Structure formats: C-alpha cells, structure tokens
Amino acid sequence: MHHKKIHGAADWRGRQLFEQSTWPLVLTSTEIDELAAAYAQSEHLPLDALDRQSFPLPVLQHKLAALQTELEEGCGAVLIKGYDVDRFTAKQSLRIFFGLASYIGTAVSQSASGERMFHVRDEGYAVGQPKARGPNTSKRLSFHTDRCDVIGFLCLQQADAGGENQLVSSVAVYNQIFEQRPDLLEQLMQPFYSKRHNVDTANTSAYCQQPVFSFCDGKFASAFLRILIDRAYEDPQIPDMTPLQREALDFVEQVCDRPEMHVEFRQERGDILLINNWITYHRRNAFQDHADRVKRRHLLRVWLATPNSRPLDPAFEANYGATEAGALRGGMNPVRQ
C-alpha cells in the first residue's frame, strides 16, 4: 500500500502550536457582556435547547466561525482566554459554555445517561470501579482521542499542583512514523480491536475494530485510546495481539513522548480549550487537589459533532454511528429507560 507524507497547518511540532495566529484567542469585555446577555435571554430554556438561535452572539459568532474552520482545516487546537469565571456561578458558566460550544458543533452524549456536559474532576473512585473513568481520577492520562469530532474544556478551577495539559499533532506523529518506521505504519493502518468502554452500557457490541491511522477521500483521521485496545486483547476470545502490532502501538506513544513533538501548558481558570480529535491527541499530568473541596480542580467537558467535519473510513461506523462528512456522529447512546 502506498502512503504519503501529510503537509499543512496540522503538521506542527511542539511549541510551533503557540506560533499559530489563532493561539490564543482573547475575549474582549464586550464579548463577555454578550455571553452574559445571551445567558440572560435563554436561562429559562433546558440546556439541550441552547443553540445559535436561542443563544445569540452577534459579535462573537464571527470569531467562533473562524475557530470552527481553524479546528478542521488548520492546526486543530485553539485556546480561548479571558472568560471571566468569577463573574458567573458554576451553573451559569456551564450554560454559557454549552451555548458558546453550539457555534462550533452539536453536543453529543458522553454517557449512558445522556449527559451532554461532563464534569472532569476527581470523584474518588477506587481503581476498577465500574463508574470509574480516567477524567474522574487525579492520575496521569496517556495521549488519546475521545469519541467525537471536537472536544471542548472550560476550566472552572485548577488543581493545587499538576494537571498540566499536553497536546501532540497526530498528523506530525504519522509523518514521523512514515519516515522512520514505514513497516509499523502499515500495521497502524489496519484495524485493531477496541473494547467497549465500561460506562458505555447501551452499546450492545463488546468490541469494535478500527485503525489508528486512516484516510478517506484524501482526508487523514486518527483515533487512539490505548487502554481500550489493550483491554480488548486481554480477552481470550480475541486473537492475540502480534508482536509487530504491539511494537507499532508502543512506537506511537514513544513518538508522542518526544519533547520536541508535544507541547505542555496549564489551562488556567476561565480558559477554554478546543481540540479536533482526528488530528490531535491530548493527555493530562497527574494532579494534587486543594484540601478545600471548593478549590478542587474542576473542568467542564463537551463532545461536539461538527458540521464541517471530515469523512471517515467506513471502519469507524460501528463506534461513531456515521462516517459521512458533516454527519451527526460520536458520543455514547443513552440507555433507554
């Protein structure tokens, strides 16, 4: 199979991300006032009813349209600074973030209960508890993607220590492997088994199969969540992972770990981070929380299906529900009551 190197704004290395003209976008006081006005106009509506019509942002919408394009066609990661987190309550900020995010895409469910907004904080779950998810612990997470086109985070409160964000371009990772280990790239273009997430209880399939790197109509896409791949191959009913497959997955993580490849920064209170999952991996350092519960690390997370998204390899249909460009896809189906 013939593969080629990928060129363009998504092929950034390390601190090159910070050199993008869109990094960061700083909100003005006028734009903060506009968010407050949109909140006041729509506070009587249920959260899921918030959209561009009910949450009007006549000035800010133009910047958000540019960010929507940058996420899909540009570097794939943008940081919005200047949101005044002290001006609003946590509940108000949740609705404002949801309304703002509707200008990027449509929020999809992040759990079997249909949550469209997820709270990223240490819930104190013991290791192995069915409800435990990486974002609800204080441990270090590995580089990964989530099941959506774009993921968004609003930081309400940062940890006492640690919790820094790290981003890496999966396009740049692909290019490195293309140059250095084309034999492993061949493996990564083939489907790997991936186990159903332990909280994805409405999903009747125990597994799906999808490649780490793929192309569809010339568009690149990468999906990588090592923990679910490893869990799948622990099952005796699944064929054993070959040594070459394991070496390929290890090499992806080794390339991501190179200091010149990824970038690290601390998402401060009020910072909004938006990431295109198909061209960017993210992870977080372990953190130590403040003794005061009110001051503990707390981020809001939204998963978005974007109207300007890329087409996907048909292999992703089982896990994402649809593969056409601009399709409403991703997330977890809620359990029918």
Side-chain angles (χ1 to χ4, degrees), residues 38-300:
Y39 167 80
Q41 181 178 322
S42 60
E43 63 178 320
H44 64 287
L45 296 171
L47 186 69
D48 288 357
L50 297 186
D51 57 18
R52 296 175 185 218
Q53 283 69 46
S54 61
F55 198 86
L57 300 173
V59 177
L60 187 54
Q61 67 177 351
H62 303 294
K63 282 186 180 178
L64 295 176
L67 291 188
Q68 185 188 60
T69 302
E70 180 65 29
L71 284 163
E72 178 59 30
E73 301 174 19
C75 65
V78 294
L79 186 70
I80 303 174
K81 295 189 78 72
Y83 175 71
D84 188 356
V85 77
D86 291 318
R87 179 173 170 178
F88 306 99
T89 67
K91 285 184 177 179
Q92 289 172 334
S93 286
L94 185 150
R95 291 180 64 88
I96 290 170
F97 180 41
F98 194 94
L100 181 150
S102 72
Y103 284 79
I104 305 297
T106 302
V108 296
S109 170
Q110 299 184 59
S111 69
S113 59
E115 296 170 279
R116 305 256 180 130
M117 189 65 78
F118 185 79
H119 295 271
V120 178
R121 57 191 172 195
D122 185 7
E123 302 284 10
Y125 292 126
V127 176
Q129 267 189 273
K131 286 186 177 180
R133 299 172 77 164
N136 290 144
T137 69
S138 61
K139 68 182 181 184
R140 184 174 188 256
L141 304 181
S142 59
F143 276 115
H144 67 282
T145 56
D146 286 36
R147 207 194 307 178
C148 57
D149 294 321
V150 166
I151 184 170
F153 296 100
L154 166 60
C155 180
L156 295 178
Q157 189 69 47
Q158 193 43 273
D160 202 29
E164 296 84 6
N165 299 74
Q166 294 181 349
L167 301 178
V168 67
S169 161
S170 55
V171 172
V173 172
Y174 166 93
N175 281 339
Q176 288 281 288
I177 299 173
F178 170 82
E179 291 173 357
Q180 296 167 13
R181 292 296 304 273
D183 58 321
L184 297 184
L185 185 63
E186 203 62 53
Q187 293 293 314
L188 296 162
M189 303 285 289
Q190 303 301 317
F192 282 78
Y193 280 95
S194 183
K195 190 169 174 61
R196 177 184 59 211
H197 199 292
N198 56 3
V199 298
D200 190 13
T201 50
N203 188 346
T204 55
S205 303
Y207 307 96
C208 66
Q209 287 181 273
Q210 60 188 34
V212 173
F213 296 131
S214 62
F215 288 88
C216 182
D217 297 341
K219 290 283 191 177
F220 170 85
S222 181
F224 186 61
L225 188 51
R226 180 72 187 266
I227 189 169
L228 294 187
I229 297 174
D230 286 343
R231 281 181 189 169
Y233 286 94
E234 287 168 3
D235 190 319
Q237 296 179 27
I238 299 296
D240 288 345
M241 188 186 294
T242 68
L244 201 58
Q245 283 179 313
R246 189 173 303 282
E247 185 182 0
L249 295 175
D250 288 345
F251 195 61
V252 170
E253 297 192 311
Q254 288 165 24
V255 173
C256 290
D257 268 330
R258 293 173 183 169
E260 71 275 13
M261 291 297 292
H262 65 258
V263 69
E264 181 175 291
F265 60 96
R266 188 173 168 87
Q267 191 178 354
E268 301 294 351
R269 295 182 72 236
D271 286 359
I272 295 171
L273 177 65
L274 297 164
I275 309 163
N276 183 335
N277 269 299
W278 300 112
I279 52 177
T280 314
Y281 300 159
H282 63 283
R283 77 176 175 192
R284 174 202 80 201
N285 287 340
F287 64 87
Q288 186 164 349
D289 257 333
H290 201 282
D292 183 349
R293 289 192 67 85
V294 178
K295 296 181 180 177
R296 291 188 177 179
R297 187 180 193 270
H298 185 190
L299 276 68
L300 299 175

Side-chain angles (χ1 to χ4, degrees), residues 17-54:
L17 177 62
F18 297 159
E19 296 162 15
Q20 307 290 330
S21 60
T22 50
W23 190 283
L25 169 75
V26 182
L27 296 175
T28 65
S29 57
T30 302
E31 290 161 347
I32 303 288
D33 289 343
E34 190 172 79
L35 289 167
Y39 167 80
Q41 181 178 322
S42 60
E43 63 178 320
H44 64 287
L45 296 171
L47 186 69
D48 288 357
L50 297 186
D51 57 18
R52 296 175 185 218
Q53 283 69 46
S54 61

